[in-house]
Amino acid sequence: QVQLVESGGGLVQAGGSLRLSCAASGSIFSINYMGWYRQAPGKQRDMVAVIFSAGNTVYADSVKGRFTISRDNAKNTVALQMDSLNPEDTAVYYCRVGDSGRISWGQGTQVTVSS
């Protein structure tokens, strides 16, 4: 079982920045990808950004050019640098890890962007 611990959420004004971090621990075999998803009130959970073991990345159109995902394979950590935040980015952000066919989710961290 993989445990994920997230940190870095909070309250920020529009135009500001936040950095989220997620650390994976436990029975890790081979992490295929690490990513961030978000869920706003009353909406479904959507992919924000994913980074694969080879380093290639995928971003949601709504965050391209503003968010940057990075990963430290040796430490099994993933970070999401979020710049130029706007109120539409307000959501609970979840870390997700794919490890040899198993999917694990973090507990979520709240990001609130005020206008």
Side-chain angles (χ1 to χ4, degrees), residues 7-41:
S7 61
L11 173 64
V12 65
Q13 289 188 331
S17 299
L18 282 174
R19 183 177 179 87
L20 305 181
S21 297
C22 174
S25 62
S27 301
I28 297 172
F29 294 115
S30 177
I31 293 179
N32 307 114
Y33 66 86
M34 304 182 80
W36 292 94
Y37 287 65
R38 67 186 180 186
Q39 187 168 19

Side-chain angles (χ1 to χ4, degrees), residues 20-77:
L20 305 181
S21 297
C22 174
S25 62
S27 301
I28 297 172
F29 294 115
S30 177
I31 293 179
N32 307 114
Y33 66 86
M34 304 182 80
W36 292 94
Y37 287 65
R38 67 186 180 186
Q39 187 168 19
K43 296 188 177 181
Q44 66 181 21
R45 189 175 299 186
D46 292 325
M47 186 274 292
V48 176
V50 175
I51 184 166
F52 295 88
S53 56
N56 48 315
T57 57
V58 176
Y59 292 93
D61 288 343
S62 60
V63 307
K64 284 180 181 177
R66 300 188 298 121
F67 291 10
T68 303
I69 190 170
S70 60
R71 174 177 170 180
D72 186 327
N73 289 338
K75 296 181 179 179
N76 290 323
T77 60

Side-chain angles (χ1 to χ4, degrees), residues 77-110:
T77 60
V78 62
L80 185 68
Q81 177 66 38
M82 305 186 293
D83 299 318
S84 301
L85 285 160
N86 59 60
E88 289 70 38
D89 295 315
T90 295
V92 177
Y93 284 69
Y94 296 90
C95 178
R96 168 171 160 163
V97 168
D99 170 45
S100 302
R102 304 176 301 172
I103 296 175
S104 300
W105 290 93
Q107 79 283 359
T109 185
Q110 177 70 45

